[in-house]
Amino acid sequence: MRAFVLTRYGGPDAAEFRDIRVPEPRAGQVRIRVRAAGLNPVDFKLREGKLKPITRLSMPVVLGSEVAGVVDALGPGVSHFEIGDEVFARVTKDELGAFAESVCVHEELVALKPKSTDFPSAAAIPLAALTALQVLRDELSVSKGQRVFIPGGAGGVGTFAIQLAKHFGASVATTASPRGRALVERMGADVVVDYTTTRFVNELSDYDSAFDLVGGETLAGCFDVVRRGGRVVSIAGMPEPTTATKDLGRGAGLAALFWLASFTIRLRAARKGVSYRYLFMHPSGDDLRKLAALVDSKSLEVVVDRVFPFAELPRAFAYLEEGRAKGKVVVEMK
Ligand code: NDP
């Protein structure tokens, strides 16, 4: 089968198309005939080796973090899926493999795709929407009447996050450039700050929580926007020690590394009386089923910016790496 394979850490030419053996599903796995696969910033961060302390890839490895397609083989012990099921999944962090004609995924990470979407839209959901759901529901406990700040609302995670926060009953402020304003307003944002002309810290205060999708100065500004006793979660900033143990199940070494790297930001959080946590999303078939139901009931719109043919994956990467995507970027098998 055709697959997009990473052979070493590096720039765009570190990954290439190769013909490799079709994988056989192991115990508990289904094999998915890939119809579409979503791209995410994590894919080029992995390629560049930026996540080496967190995810050790054994090269060569097929890239690709999320998939939609049709089940065409079952490993021993699979009980929830049948051949022919139309499914979607966030694959595991270490195995990856979605940028190929077939990928094997453990059935616990798989769900039937929403009935109302095509394959490219279904492939756009898993990583970004699971992240948004898990942060807003599990970490920030967003509920009716709360005020949530979600900087960076126009991208893959942001478009889901704004809608889900609104679905939970919150009032939402976000940041976007003029290119993204109409989109974030359509997603339901109540307040939109144009980050290209205005400093959001001068506009917003006393928010119950912030969900940072940008990192750097934007993350630092979140501590000024959130009230004392409020919470900040970042997925783009610096991991703190709890992340090593809680999300990654790793020991003292990685925790110490994160302790040092996140020192300044944790100090800032402590001074402001705000709790801070960096979160890694986790693959979950159960959560995907919840998201599929929201999509099918029209409570959640999937925003796909561009769909590229699978053969144009390098162009799709280049487009995503510009950092200007409005919603998600996807490749489709023809
Ligand atoms: P995208 O590439 O989809 O984000 C692109 C969007 O970001 C564009 O619409 C752009 O809008 C907007 N943007 C860029 N710079 C700014 C800025 N300074 N302020 C406000 N908006 C800005 O990325 P994703 O949404 O997929 O991911 C966001 C981040 O979260 C990435 O760093 C990613 O790696 C991380 N992530 C982490 C996860 C985890 O588990 N920890 C999971 C998922 C994602 P415009 O063109 O208008 O500037």
Side-chain angles (χ1 to χ4, degrees), residues 272-286:
K272 294 278 176 181
V274 169
S275 81
Y276 167 65
R277 178 139 155 64
Y278 180 96
L279 183 125
F280 281 109
M281 58 81 59
H282 56 271
S284 161
D286 284 342

Side-chain angles (χ1 to χ4, degrees), residues 41 45 131 152 156-157 177 179 195 235 278-279 281 323-326:
K45 291 179 185 175
T131 308
V157 179
S177 73
R179 295 179 297 269
Y195 76 88
I235 57 165
Y278 180 96
L279 183 125
M281 58 81 59
R324 301 273 82 90
K326 300 289 163 287

